[in-house]
Amino acid sequence: MLSQSPELADILSEALNISRSRALTLLESKSTRVMKYKDLRYITLRRDVAGHYEGTVVLIRGGEYRVVEGYPHIKRVLLLSVAVPRHFIDEVIVEEKMDGYNVRVVEFAGRILALTRGGFICPYTTHKINIKYREGVKRLLEELGDEPVIVGEVVGMENPYTRYHYPEAPEWDYFIFDLYRGGEPVPVGERLELVNKHGLKSVPIHGRFHKNDWRSIEEVVRGLEELGREGVVLKDPGYRVEPLKYTTSYINIRDIREGMKYPFDEGHTFIFPRVLRQMFKAVEESWSLEEIKRVSAQLGEAILVPAIESIKTYINEGKLVEEFILTFHDPEVLEDFLSYSASLGIPLTIVSIDRGEGLMKVRIQKPKRTPDYYKRILKTGISPLD
Ligand code: ATP
Ligand code: MG
């Protein structure tokens, strides 16, 4: 890898507009990762660097390169009544926040590529996008013209990252929520027209309100609450100010319940931020004591029930793994995906493969850290925390 650094340093220095020596230092540090995908190489930023967000990617083939900016962090609202009138200028578009994983789609060196939030070309997601949307995505990118980027959420059950059931996408689908042209977001109205025109899908839009009408936004969130959906992202129609996000109580608790299946992986870091969201929601929505007690019981259950179950599973089965199913139209992509995961330090195991009609359904297991902690605790009886 280091032997390639001099040439990569030239590219990185030009791409990010930084000095060559800074580029060299970055390439040799943990702030970047150099990866390969087919005939491409790419450099990923693992943190914010020189005004570029974490997850920024420099795609390279030969001497040719392209920078794809990382997706910016979206601030979270705790009090709609305060944040919305203060933050927005006049009107607010209420978009649904879908719960999957963030994917930037770009074209480079004749390939349609899917980039994860962290800035990696995911072979599986790239495969699925090409199978389902290749033509529409190509045409949309062409129409956008200057440094075009499509950004959306992959949702459904057939993915390696975030799996929740959506009736409109039980297996795998891609819902667009931003388009970029020349580094700038395309206004919401134009974005929706373009997405529609090219036969692609948008995240649902739940209305356009005046910023002082935060109660209407609260109403939208209440509706999503009843459907068990994640929440909303609030956007200025012309992106003059940055978006804000707000989630349902249902999802705040569901995330804790899911996370606590593996307490030493996601679980423990999930708890406090989500308790905080519930604290301010309760105050803003003037919950009765009865309501507070009902949600408190749910919260307590969400923390302890899955955690206790996970210890029992570990004791009874001697292991604790995450399992999911991916579908492939091409066996080579499975190989690519497994070696990609391994290169990121996640060794996956294939449990079974179902073949039929040009489609492979592959059941995969992903290791977790939690069982290592359980093993030590059960052996020593001592807490790893204090
Ligand atoms: P952040 O760095 O913004 O806190 P996070 O990884 O904690 O990101 P989330 O809390 O899920 O992520 O919120 C931001 C993410 O929401 C975006 O990266 C995007 O993938 C997802 N998202 C879903 N729907 C939308 C939408 N309509 N507009 C923007 N982002 C959306
Ligand atoms: Mg998300």
Side-chain angles (χ1 to χ4, degrees), residues 276-293:
L276 184 67
R277 295 171 205 172
Q278 294 304 94
M279 284 157 51
F280 282 91
K281 198 185 276 281
V283 171
E284 181 164 63
E285 295 175 6
S286 316
W287 292 1
S288 64
L289 183 60
E290 194 188 358
E291 179 74 354
I292 295 171
K293 287 190 168 170

Side-chain angles (χ1 to χ4, degrees), residues 193-311:
E193 276 174 30
L194 284 169
V195 166
N196 194 25
K197 176 176 168 189
H198 294 289
L200 301 168
K201 292 177 184 161
S202 164
V203 294
I205 307 291
H206 294 293
R208 179 177 181 136
F209 304 103
H210 189 268
K211 65 173 186 167
N212 293 333
D213 187 15
W214 59 273
R215 287 211 177 269
S216 293
I217 301 175
E218 195 179 61
E219 197 56 42
V220 169
V221 175
R222 200 167 302 134
L224 295 172
E225 188 85 63
E226 275 158 28
L227 295 170
R229 294 173 76 111
E230 189 185 16
V232 294
V233 178
L234 308 173
K235 292 183 183 167
D236 178 85
Y239 291 82
R240 293 167 296 174
V241 291
E242 64 189 76
L244 297 176
K245 65 192 177 198
Y246 187 73
T247 47
T248 59
S249 184
Y250 174 89
I251 235 66
N252 295 340
I253 290 174
R254 197 254 3 234
D255 279 353
I256 292 179
R257 189 182 309 118
E258 287 297 313
M260 289 303 283
K261 287 180 179 170
Y262 312 103
F264 287 96
D265 290 85
E266 299 84 16
H268 63 297
T269 57
F270 271 27
I271 298 176
F272 185 63
R274 286 167 180 77
V275 170
L276 184 67
R277 295 171 205 172
Q278 294 304 94
M279 284 157 51
F280 282 91
K281 198 185 276 281
V283 171
E284 181 164 63
E285 295 175 6
S286 316
W287 292 1
S288 64
L289 183 60
E290 194 188 358
E291 179 74 354
I292 295 171
K293 287 190 168 170
R294 193 180 62 81
V295 176
S296 303
Q298 284 179 350
L299 184 62
E301 262 190 40
I303 296 173
L304 271 182
V305 172
I308 293 168
E309 282 304 311
S310 78
I311 304 176

Side-chain angles (χ1 to χ4, degrees), residues 24 33 104 110 131-133 167 222 234 242 297 348 369 378:
L24 255 181
R33 265 299 300 251
R104 284 164 287 157
I131 294 277
K132 209 169 158 107
Y133 291 123
R222 200 167 302 134
L234 308 173
E242 64 189 76
L348 300 174
R369 278 193 301 259
L378 290 166

